Amino acid sequence: MPGRACGARHPIWCGMSTPPAAPLALLAELTHRCPLRCPYCSNPVNLTRVAEELDTATWARVFREAAALGCLQVHLSGGEPTARRDIADLVRAASEAGLYTNLITSGVLTGDAKLQTLVEAGLEHVQLSVQDAEPGSGDRIGGYRGGHAKKLEFARLVHDSGLPLTLNAVVHRQNLDRLPDMIALALALGAGRLEVAHVQYYGWALANRDALLPTRAQLEAATATVEAARRDLKGRLVIDYVVPDYYARRPKACMGGWGRQFLAVSPAGRVLPCHAAESLPGFDFPNVRDVSLRWAWEDSEAFNRFRGTGWMPAPCQGCEHAERDWGGCRCQAFALTGDAAATDPACALSPHHAVLSLAVGAAAEAGEAFTYREPRRDVTSVSG
């Protein structure tokens, strides 16, 4: 297994005095299995099958390597991470490696006994997704009958266990008008943090963009609602707000910049700068079955390709914002222009900026029917 490369093997940073700074967190995508069919699912179109998933021992090694690399926390995600029968062993391995453990879950497969097992294994935080505050709409968006009720029951179990809870509300045209109700739901469930995350349009969400894109009026109302709630609920509820790019004039620093703060490992072991990067063609992403996590982070061509500013085309090259937004989102650039190295169209200076206005116009004329991803047949359905 390669360790740190040297000499000509890492020309992109070999002239620097130090390698890239350590990542803050690891997103461990344990499985693509999930009982929900969310129309904005960020998993790849071609899902990893169970037989291709990393085994327990390999994940445990990845966690140890992540801690040695400098990661402070691990986000156990999917798919639905609790669909793995060894989820308690994975939580224990991450905890023993010294990582802060956060479970990102739909909550529909976990009952009291399983949750207590996870707590005993070292789980420290839960991030629960909700599709809406209204049960019927939540079940329709998630494509899972009775899912909203199961989520509320799971949130109660998390609260009773003493674990801190973050509620993650993915918002879009079909639920944004109930954002005040989602904020109230977070308070009622005892969440300490609420993430209001507008859908990001790549992967499966791109196929449903016309049914999901909010109107400008909805976006402005939502932003005002969040600002008011942050003011009124200060000290009671922390609210993170992720806005959509389709009304923007400046791109976001996606994931804090490519290969700068975060890394992800897919169910099959591919090491990625972000969870959606598998959608990009022309990359040979390293695999933890073949290389160390440190080598993937510091020396792989895939991670170094869009690091820093040297790769940037005009108008990004030399822009005063280049080291703030780091060129924006590479996945969005590819989805909208066909070129991952292009300026993110969210930037008003991009030659492709007009495609966002065209998309908004098309969505305004569209209906609200979703194209759903079919659930995996091999999902574990026992709540335990």
Side-chain angles (χ1 to χ4, degrees), residues 39-40 130-134 137-138 140-142 168-183 196-199 201 211-214 218 222 368 370:
Y40 45 75
V130 292
Q131 282 65 46
D132 206 328
E134 197 281 313
S137 177
R140 182 183 71 86
I141 294 169
N168 175 246
V170 180
V171 295
H172 46 83
R173 188 170 80 216
Q174 299 194 37
N175 66 6
L176 254 183
D177 294 340
R178 288 181 292 280
L179 179 55
D181 297 329
M182 289 184 242
I183 295 173
V196 179
H198 285 266
V199 170
Y201 296 98
L212 292 167
L213 256 176
Q218 280 186 307
E368 296 190 343
F370 294 135

Side-chain angles (χ1 to χ4, degrees), residues 92-103:
R92 184 175 297 105
S95 180
E96 290 177 351
L99 298 172
Y100 182 87
T101 54
N102 174 39
L103 180 70

Side-chain angles (χ1 to χ4, degrees), residues 112-158:
D112 185 49
K114 181 184 284 186
L115 180 60
Q116 290 307 312
T117 299
L118 297 179
V119 172
E120 292 167 4
L123 184 63
E124 295 175 271
H125 186 274
V126 171
Q127 183 172 325
L128 173 65
S129 65
V130 292
Q131 282 65 46
D132 206 328
E134 197 281 313
S137 177
D139 288 356
R140 182 183 71 86
I141 294 169
Y144 188 86
R145 182 176 297 177
H148 187 78
K150 288 186 176 183
K151 289 171 181 286
L152 299 189
E153 173 60 17
F154 175 73
R156 183 190 66 79
L157 294 174
V158 172

Side-chain angles (χ1 to χ4, degrees), residues 73 364 377:
Q73 36 184 278
R377 297 181 182 275

Side-chain angles (χ1 to χ4, degrees), residues 69-90:
L69 186 57
C71 284
L72 301 177
Q73 36 184 278
V74 59
H75 304 290
L76 303 168
S77 182
E80 173 47 57
T82 63
R84 286 195 57 136
R85 295 183 183 277
D86 61 349
I87 183 61
D89 295 329
L90 295 174

Side-chain angles (χ1 to χ4, degrees), residues 103-262:
L103 180 70
I104 301 176
T105 179
S106 66
V108 302
L109 297 183
T110 304
D112 185 49
K114 181 184 284 186
L115 180 60
Q116 290 307 312
T117 299
L118 297 179
V119 172
E120 292 167 4
L123 184 63
E124 295 175 271
H125 186 274
V126 171
Q127 183 172 325
L128 173 65
S129 65
V130 292
Q131 282 65 46
D132 206 328
E134 197 281 313
S137 177
D139 288 356
R140 182 183 71 86
I141 294 169
Y144 188 86
R145 182 176 297 177
H148 187 78
K150 288 186 176 183
K151 289 171 181 286
L152 299 189
E153 173 60 17
F154 175 73
R156 183 190 66 79
L157 294 174
V158 172
H159 181 268
D160 290 349
S161 74
L163 286 176
L165 173 67
T166 292
L167 208 64
N168 175 246
V170 180
V171 295
H172 46 83
R173 188 170 80 216
Q174 299 194 37
N175 66 6
L176 254 183
D177 294 340
R178 288 181 292 280
L179 179 55
D181 297 329
M182 289 184 242
I183 295 173
L185 179 63
L187 290 171
L189 295 177
R193 181 180 294 270
L194 170 66
E195 181 176 315
V196 179
H198 285 266
V199 170
Q200 305 298 298
Y201 296 98
Y202 44 73
W204 202 252
L206 191 60
N208 283 294
R209 184 177 64 186
D210 286 352
L212 292 167
L213 256 176
T215 65
R216 179 176 289 277
Q218 280 186 307
L219 174 60
E220 291 175 351
T223 302
T225 295
V226 168
E227 291 174 350
R230 281 174 166 170
R231 181 183 64 249
D232 297 342
L233 300 174
K234 187 176 181 179
R236 296 178 59 195
L237 182 68
V238 176
I239 303 178
D240 296 326
Y241 190 47
V242 181
V243 298
D245 289 331
Y246 280 59
Y247 295 100
R249 296 188 62 80
R250 300 277 347 142
K252 297 190 296 289
C254 187
M255 304 299 288
W258 179 281
R260 288 182 55 80
Q261 296 184 2
F262 301 96

